[in-house]
Amino acid sequence: MYVRTSSRRNKSGQVVRYLQLAHNEWDAKAGVSRTKVLHSFGREDEIDRAAVERLVAALTRLLDPARAAALTGPAELTFTEARPLGGTHVLDGLWHRLGLDQVMRRQLAGRRLDPRVERVLFALVANRALDASSKLAAADWITRDVHIEGLDAIDEQACYRAMDWLLQIEPALAKEAYFQVTDLLNLEVDLLFFDTTSTYFETEEADEPVPRDAHGERLPEGTDPELAVKEAGFRTFGKSKDSRDDLPQVVVGMAVTRDGIPVRVWSWPGNTTDTNLIRQVKDDLREWSLSRIVWVADRGFTSAANRRALMQAGGGYIIGEKLRSGSPEVKQALSRPGRYATVRDNLQVKEVNIDSDDRFVICFNPEQALRDAAIRERMVTQLEEAIAGTDKLKATERAHLAGQLSTKPGLKRYLRTTPGGLLRIDKKKIATEANLDGKYLLRSSDPKLSAEDIALGYKSLLEVERGWRDMKQILDLRPVYHRREDRIRAHVLLCWLALLLIRVAENATGQTWNRLRAELQRLQAATFTGHAGTYRQTTEPTKPQRDILTALDIPAPKKVIELTATL
């Protein structure tokens, strides 16, 4: 099919050209090709060009948009760039599926803010999950390095404005997101796991102390000083879980379901005590009107004050007890006879009755017992080598060596000094430690849970520990590129939302986020530019990519995601 041109001379002698849409047909009888006119456009100088454009537009709608753009352009298209698309497409699909966009838009109603704030916050969350960076670098990443639906470009200030707004709506956002997520995913929330970590800052100076309430929140200026419970900077010195007591830090807490879904995070000044943490967490979640909740916490929350706080409002707890605390309850529990019952995952449990209102369950893992024994044997061998021949040393030299060994907890545990100042292996301590191999002790206030549920519930606390590991290694909770308290809190919230999305993806696919991210980022958006315009087209999804999309119930991205005609 082609445009046929014919010419003829009119009475004035002027040559006039006529345009026709024609194609050639083969005449089998005559054995020749004959021209058939399909449509006459009329004189070339009087042609209705608007009508031709409408005809071309109607015909191109029958074609693939990318092919149409290529065919209508007077010159070939030029490939200009390719950006990863798969990761943001999946995260955006989960973002919408969990209703986080709707929650934010409801909170946005009536506020004088850029309507793109929800998109900016999603982009910052996606940045943490896919290529964690500072907010300045994140703005450049969003603008130049990735395709995000509904957001072409932003600047650093737009990121900060969105973070400030996120902090304002956090209580309502966390509550609505919790119920949306638990209802949609049909999560079991009878057990909530809670743990804390700390994250330090590469600065030697702590923040100036300011008045704070019982929850560690900064009191507004002009507040009666008597209302302040304490004065503390947000970035301040405390007991570091990263072994960096020399640097100021903040404390971060997280509540997680038994499925590993993080439902809320908190952040406090770096010297906040466990008791204050527990009280705020209980107070905040009491407003959610949850049904019966049993809190699962590690051995750092075993104090009587923390247990009382967890019992408030009808709650219960499962807490790990420190076997080496020397408390009367621990001694009674370990001395009680009884047989272990094997439950699952190579785990054996035994409930013991002692003089206490709480229940105590001893857990034993034979494989862990073998590992503990092997580690102790190496420690004892190393200690024997260190003190060999020390009887011949002067008393001051032996004391100096003992001081050096005291800085190594693993060796110090098995070292004994005789009344005469001689260094010996503490065989009694070895026997005591051998009795603890592979064991841990749990304390629970819940009268209805079985010993197996108590043991497996505590074992699931590993989900929180995995969350901290992913927060620090994948989402880059640290380093924090912010100085202001509100921006640090907002940064923690972005990490929480990113962890929420990737944990949902992992649970649905059975794959780690590192593997999912690597595969999804191979799905690209390619941009082509020509005289007719610009279009952006996705690469064809591979089978692994299609399997991920199917498992997450997310449709594949459109083949052509952007088409702009040059006017």
Side-chain angles (χ1 to χ4, degrees):
M1 190 177 298
Y2 58 94
V3 177
R4 178 188 179 192
T5 302
S6 60
S7 304
R8 56 191 242 183
R9 192 181 300 274
N10 58 19
K11 292 181 180 180
S12 64
Q14 180 184 6
V15 177
V16 180
R17 290 161 51 91
Y18 292 86
L19 302 179
Q20 298 169 326
L21 184 64
H23 80 108
N24 295 330
E25 289 185 347
W26 179 255
D27 188 339
K29 293 182 179 180
V32 296
S33 177
R34 301 186 185 279
T35 300
K36 182 177 181 180
V37 176
L38 301 178
H39 178 73
S40 179
F41 294 103
R43 289 177 52 163
E44 184 179 27
D45 58 341
E46 298 178 353
I47 192 170
D48 187 350
R49 298 189 178 278
V52 174
E53 291 176 358
R54 289 194 297 271
L55 176 61
V56 172
L59 292 174
T60 55
R61 281 197 292 269
L62 303 177
L63 305 176
D64 179 278
R67 183 60 178 161
L71 292 174
T72 55
E76 291 188 2
L77 294 170
T78 301
F79 171 71
T80 56
E81 68 173 9
R83 299 184 181 187
L85 167 74
T88 55
H89 177 75
V90 162
L91 292 172
D92 205 8
L94 294 175
W95 182 267
H96 287 82
R97 180 184 167 198
L98 298 178
L100 297 177
D101 60 325
Q102 300 174 14
V103 172
M104 289 188 175
R105 290 195 178 100
R106 282 196 295 271
Q107 295 297 323
L108 181 62
R111 296 174 182 263
R112 299 180 62 182
L113 290 168
D114 187 334
R116 299 185 307 163
V117 167
E118 178 270 331
R119 288 286 79 195
V120 174
L121 286 174
F122 165 73
L124 292 175
V125 170
N127 174 255
R128 306 250 43 103
L130 298 171
D131 189 15
S133 57
S134 68
K135 300 306 173 290
L136 176 61
D140 190 65
W141 177 81
I142 294 165
T143 302
R144 300 175 182 273
D145 299 330
V146 74
H147 175 82
I148 295 179
E149 187 71 25
L151 188 65
D152 295 328
I154 60 170
D155 57 26
E156 183 183 11
Q157 293 306 313
C159 296
Y160 288 135
R161 287 192 296 270
M163 292 175 64
D164 294 342
W165 175 69
L166 174 63
L167 193 61
Q168 295 175 23
I169 68 164
E170 184 272 334
L173 171 66
K175 182 177 181 179
E176 288 197 54
Y178 169 79
F179 286 108
Q180 293 240 155
V181 169
T182 52
D183 288 346
L184 183 63
L185 302 181
N186 194 27
L187 299 181
E188 295 184 51
V189 291
D190 57 328
L191 292 180
L192 279 183
F193 304 92
F194 178 76
D195 195 14
T196 63
T197 190
S198 58
T199 183
Y200 59 84
F201 295 78
E202 296 289 352
T203 177
E204 296 180 358
E205 296 184 2
D207 294 338
E208 289 293 328
V210 295
R212 296 183 180 275
D213 61 17
H215 289 170
E217 296 289 342
R218 183 172 184 168
L219 294 176
E221 293 185 9
T223 304
D224 186 351
E226 294 184 359
L227 297 177
V229 174
K230 66 175 182 178
E231 288 193 355
F234 195 58
R235 299 179 302 172
T236 192
F237 295 101
K239 180 59 180 177
S240 173
K241 295 192 177 183
D242 297 306
S243 300
R244 293 305 306 265
D245 293 346
D246 59 318
L247 296 176
Q249 64 175 21
V250 298
V251 175
V252 182
M254 180 164 56
V256 175
T257 70
R258 66 167 73 211
D259 303 279
I261 304 298
V263 294
R264 193 165 183 180
V265 292
W266 296 261
S267 50
W268 298 277
N271 61 353
T272 307
T273 62
D274 290 346
T275 304
N276 290 336
L277 306 184
I278 290 293
R279 287 173 180 171
Q280 181 180 354
V281 172
K282 290 287 294 185
D283 290 344
D284 288 348
L285 295 187
R286 185 185 296 115
E287 299 176 0
W288 292 10
S289 301
L290 301 177
S291 58
R292 169 180 165 269
I293 296 294
V294 177
W295 289 86
V296 185
D298 70 3
R299 293 171 295 180
F301 295 91
T302 192
S303 70
N306 287 343
R307 298 200 305 271
R308 284 194 299 270
L310 288 174
M311 285 293 292
Q312 293 175 0
Y317 55 77
I318 300 172
I319 301 179
E321 192 75 18
K322 297 179 180 179
L323 288 177
R324 297 181 180 88
S325 66
S327 70
E329 293 170 320
V330 171
K331 292 180 178 179
Q332 288 183 56
L334 293 176
S335 64
R336 292 291 189 269
R339 300 182 61 180
Y340 287 95
T342 302
V343 288
R344 68 178 76 166
D345 300 332
N346 200 33
L347 180 64
Q348 301 176 21
V349 300
K350 176 179 66 173
E351 183 169 1
V352 293
N353 296 318
I354 66 174
D355 185 17
S356 173
D357 294 333
D358 286 336
R359 299 168 60 196
F360 286 81
V361 174
I362 300 177
C363 302
F364 175 67
N365 186 327
E367 292 184 357
Q368 183 62 47
L370 293 175
R371 289 192 290 269
D372 291 344
I375 292 173
R376 183 175 57 258
E377 184 177 353
R378 288 198 300 270
M379 290 291 183
V380 172
T381 300
Q382 185 177 350
L383 181 59
E384 288 176 339
E385 294 174 353
I387 66 175
T390 56
D391 289 358
K392 300 178 181 179
L393 298 178
K394 296 180 180 179
T396 55
E397 293 176 332
R398 285 198 301 270
H400 179 70
L401 177 60
Q404 290 181 326
L405 294 175
S406 67
T407 63
K408 301 177 180 180
L411 300 182
K412 177 186 176 182
R413 181 177 300 170
Y414 307 108
L415 178 65
R416 179 176 64 88
T417 303
T418 68
L422 301 179
L423 304 181
R424 295 289 185 265
I425 300 296
D426 192 337
K427 296 183 179 180
K428 185 177 180 180
K429 185 64 175 180
I430 292 176
T432 301
E433 288 293 316
N435 187 46
L436 303 180
D437 286 350
K439 296 178 182 177
Y440 54 93
L441 179 63
L442 305 180
R443 174 197 291 262
S444 177
S445 65
D446 194 288
K448 298 180 181 179
L449 289 174
S450 66
E452 177 181 354
D453 286 339
I454 293 173
L456 295 178
Y458 185 79
K459 189 174 182 180
S460 296
L461 189 61
L462 293 174
E463 290 292 345
V464 187
E465 296 176 0
R466 187 165 70 100
W468 291 135
R469 184 174 64 250
D470 288 349
M471 283 271 252
K472 293 182 178 181
Q473 297 179 1
I474 297 178
L475 306 177
D476 280 2
L477 175 67
R478 183 185 66 244
V480 182
Y481 297 97
H482 304 288
R483 177 183 57 83
R484 286 172 40 180
E485 178 175 335
D486 55 348
R487 298 279 169 77
I488 296 171
R489 291 181 183 273
H491 170 77
V492 173
L493 293 178
L494 292 175
C495 291
W496 160 58
L497 289 170
L499 182 63
L500 170 62
L501 295 181
I502 70 174
R503 198 63 84 231
V504 171
E506 289 178 330
N507 288 356
T509 61
Q511 300 184 47
T512 65
W513 177 245
N514 282 335
R515 294 186 59 184
L516 291 172
R517 178 175 56 185
E519 185 61 49
L520 290 170
Q521 290 299 77
R522 298 185 183 109
L523 182 58
Q524 303 267 317
T527 302
F528 298 86
T529 304
H531 292 287
T534 300
Y535 77 93
R536 186 171 289 175
Q537 175 179 337
T538 61
T539 56
E540 190 68 22
T542 63
K543 185 180 184 305
Q545 292 164 358
R546 291 196 301 272
D547 290 342
I548 293 172
L549 294 170
T550 300
L552 295 174
D553 194 23
I554 295 175
K558 296 181 294 185
K559 187 171 184 180
V560 175
I561 55 179
E562 184 179 327
L563 181 60
T564 305
T566 302
L567 300 178

